[in-house]
Amino acid sequence: MVKSTGTMNGTTGESRGLDEWIKLSTVLAGRFAERAAAHDREGSFPFENFSELKDAGFMRITVPAVFGGYEAPLETYLRVQEELARGDGSTALAFMMHAKLFGQQRDGPAYPEHWFAEFCRGAVEEGWTCNTVATEEGLGSPAGGGLPDTVAVERDENWVLDGRKTFTTMAPLLHYFIVLARIDDPGGGPAELANFVVYRDDPGVRIEETWDSLGMRATGSHDMVLERVRLPAERIATRRTVGSGDARGAAGTAWFALGVSATTIGVAQAALDYAAAFARERTPNSQRTIMEYPGVRSRIGRAQLLLIRSRAMVYDAARAWERRDEDGGGTAVTDRIVAAKADTLNNCIEAVDLCMRVVGGVSLQKRRPIERYYRDVRAGLHNPPIEDRAIEQLARTVLAEPAEAPQAAE
Ligand SMILES: Cc1cc2nc3c(=O)[nH]c(=O)nc-3n(C[C@H](O)[C@H](O)[C@H](O)COP(=O)(O)OP(=O)(O)OC[C@H]3O[C@@H](n4cnc5c(N)ncnc54)[C@H](O)[C@@H]3O)c2cc1C
């Protein structure tokens, strides 16, 4: 666990209850919803949403109290993710990449204390954001355990980094880029994996605005290019041999996979809210409102069932994680987490599809938010753990095979 290094701004001990967080999140989500269509259309980054999140203290929601944060529990963080995503999935997902880091470090310290204290200070005093920058075109997801092409070479007691990262969520705003790179052994031994703290104004760093995607278009997940970026030795935050487990371990999975799940539930809930309001109003040919048709009612009920099921699994897994209930009900907590994520993504995609059918042909119109929900709800499929790896993990447990070493949680 992280030890106290003193208080900051006299904010230590300040707390907010779940109700207060939900109330604040709902207000912000309402504003985000008004801006979401324009950012989605233009693929622009919602700076004003992040400025409002900062002003409302959200940048320190999960930061430990000893560093001046609110130290919100996992369940509170998930409820906040849901609410924010009801307004704008992109903003919620991007925000999650920041918030999860502090929760994960509370539960499974991976970054050295001095760096974590710096991330906390930045979040609390300046409202600065951080995120891990691991994925690459050639590597794909680092969760697969592969080696990045981005390479760090030691030279004159400095590190020199070269490479290109993809999916750098929040790239237009990020302060702390935590960049995964490979360190080759000059002696021909196995390579190492390291995370470096990089700033946008480090010479040789460039953001290329490549993010033009089907969904989550306003997350600013652009490419980060590093060309002979020279960093002092202390910028190395973590270092491990290839094949050893990621230090974030199960904590990384808990805060990341459940965060993605809650965000996805929020998007699907927005679609259901829209479909229900539409069904109550829509009266084709001045006959009956469509909510009276059995097919429409069935789709609305089924979408709700899928959301209830998703929440049940996500919050069950979250509570099990908080209790470190390693074998609650006969299922290991990490298995409950990955199962919840895989099932939630499928449930929410299906739920939004049902909502589209409720709304009918006009659901395809760009001017309606449901069309955006239909695209946004898919994105989390490609955040780890992907379904195949989740199912493989479950199979290993059932077959009494040893668990794989935890990999990156991006
Ligand atoms: C909206 C969004 C935001 C993101 N933000 C970030 C971020 O901030 N930082 C970051 O580092 N990354 C980020 N990512 C990247 C993400 O974490 C993945 O690395 C990326 O989506 C590629 O994953 P993949 O599994 O499709 O890629 P690949 O590893 O290339 O896999 C390609 C395909 O092969 C399958 N596959 C690969 N390996 C296996 C295996 N072992 N078993 C079974 N199937 C396998 C996959 O299922 C997939 O279908 C983001 C992604 C999205 C969509």
Side-chain angles (χ1 to χ4, degrees):
M1 285 289 157
V2 171
K3 294 189 192 81
S4 170
T5 57
T7 62
M8 288 181 184
N9 280 353
T11 47
T12 294
E14 202 178 324
S15 69
R16 277 181 190 165
L18 176 63
D19 289 350
E20 200 179 342
W21 280 115
I22 297 298
K23 221 183 283 171
L24 283 166
S25 305
T26 308
V27 171
L28 290 178
R31 296 196 199 126
F32 299 169
E34 288 169 17
R35 303 169 185 142
H39 285 300
D40 174 66
R41 196 171 46 247
E42 289 153 23
S44 49
F45 189 77
F47 286 102
E48 62 282 48
N49 295 354
F50 279 85
S51 157
E52 290 179 1
L53 283 164
K54 176 181 161 183
D55 292 346
F58 279 64
M59 293 310 170
R60 56 189 160 111
I61 179 171
T62 47
V63 172
V66 293
F67 290 111
Y70 289 106
E71 201 170 321
L74 178 59
E75 267 193 77
T76 302
Y77 150 84
L78 297 176
R79 289 293 310 283
V80 164
Q81 282 303 133
E82 266 196 59
E83 286 309 312
L84 297 178
R86 284 173 83 163
D88 180 28
S90 282
T91 300
L93 186 70
F95 172 70
M96 189 216 84
M97 300 287 176
H98 165 81
K100 58 88 166 79
L101 185 139
F102 303 94
Q104 150 205 304
Q105 174 91 5
R106 275 162 35 198
D107 289 348
Y111 300 108
E113 264 187 44
H114 65 282
W115 270 120
F116 186 59
E118 171 57 21
F119 301 153
C120 291
R121 187 199 66 76
V124 170
E125 293 186 2
E126 314 286 351
W128 286 339
T129 53
C130 44
N131 188 16
T132 40
V133 183
T135 303
E136 297 177 3
E137 185 76 32
L139 169 70
S141 171
L147 272 178
D149 288 327
T150 299
V151 66
V153 177
E154 207 165 10
R155 209 168 281 155
D156 310 327
E157 296 181 10
N158 288 307
W159 290 100
V160 180
L161 266 66
D162 278 284
R164 175 185 282 267
K165 294 292 181 181
T166 51
F167 292 98
T168 309
T169 294
M170 250 185 326
L173 182 74
L174 266 189
H175 186 81
Y176 305 104
F177 296 75
I178 305 171
V179 175
L180 181 72
R182 186 185 89 229
I183 301 175
D184 291 325
D185 176 7
E192 291 178 277
L193 289 171
N195 278 297
F196 291 85
V197 181
V198 181
Y199 299 113
R200 72 173 59 247
D201 57 2
D202 282 327
V205 170
R206 192 169 81 241
I207 302 299
E208 282 190 9
E209 299 206 346
T210 47
W211 185 245
D212 183 11
S213 59
L214 176 95
M216 296 296 188
R217 288 178 52 75
T219 53
S221 302
H222 301 301
D223 285 10
M224 178 189 198
V225 181
L226 302 112
E227 280 173 349
R228 292 180 295 286
V229 176
R230 199 175 186 83
L231 303 174
E234 66 268 18
R235 293 283 196 91
I236 196 165
T238 69
R239 188 171 180 172
R240 66 183 165 105
T241 50
V242 171
S244 61
D246 187 297
R248 289 168 290 182
T253 305
W255 286 81
F256 186 86
L258 295 177
V260 170
S261 305
T263 306
T264 307
I265 291 172
V267 172
Q269 182 66 57
L272 184 54
D273 294 344
Y274 185 86
F278 186 90
R280 276 195 296 267
E281 291 294 319
R282 175 75 177 149
T283 313
N285 306 316
S286 307
Q287 294 179 11
R288 295 186 291 176
T289 53
I290 63 167
M291 71 176 205
E292 294 176 52
Y293 294 115
V296 167
R297 302 180 72 80
S298 159
R299 290 184 183 105
I300 287 175
R302 173 127 185 92
Q304 172 70 343
L305 184 153
L306 291 163
L307 292 192
I308 290 172
R309 193 161 91 198
S310 301
R311 286 196 178 97
M313 290 185 76
V314 166
Y315 290 95
D316 163 73
R319 283 188 283 270
W321 173 257
E322 294 272 57
R323 290 194 309 266
R324 300 299 184 277
D325 180 4
E326 283 303 334
D327 187 27
T331 311
V333 63
T334 46
D335 284 358
R336 279 145 90 173
I337 292 169
V338 301
K341 196 266 177 176
D343 208 42
T344 294
L345 263 296
N346 290 329
N347 292 340
C348 290
I349 290 169
E350 188 182 341
V352 177
D353 187 72
L354 289 164
C355 293
M356 294 287 281
R357 291 166 198 247
V358 165
V359 174
V362 298
S363 67
L364 302 173
Q365 292 171 341
K366 280 280 184 195
R367 67 183 175 85
R368 293 183 190 267
I370 192 162
E371 177 269 344
R372 184 176 73 253
Y373 307 144
Y374 183 72
R375 291 181 283 108
D376 283 351
V377 78
R378 301 188 58 79
L381 275 179
H382 311 294
N383 292 123
I386 53 167
E387 184 172 3
D388 285 358
R389 285 201 194 99
I391 300 294
E392 166 63 17
Q393 177 178 323
L394 300 181
R396 273 176 177 265
T397 306
V398 173
L399 297 170
E401 291 172 348
E404 282 183 308
Q407 294 300 327
E410 289 77 22

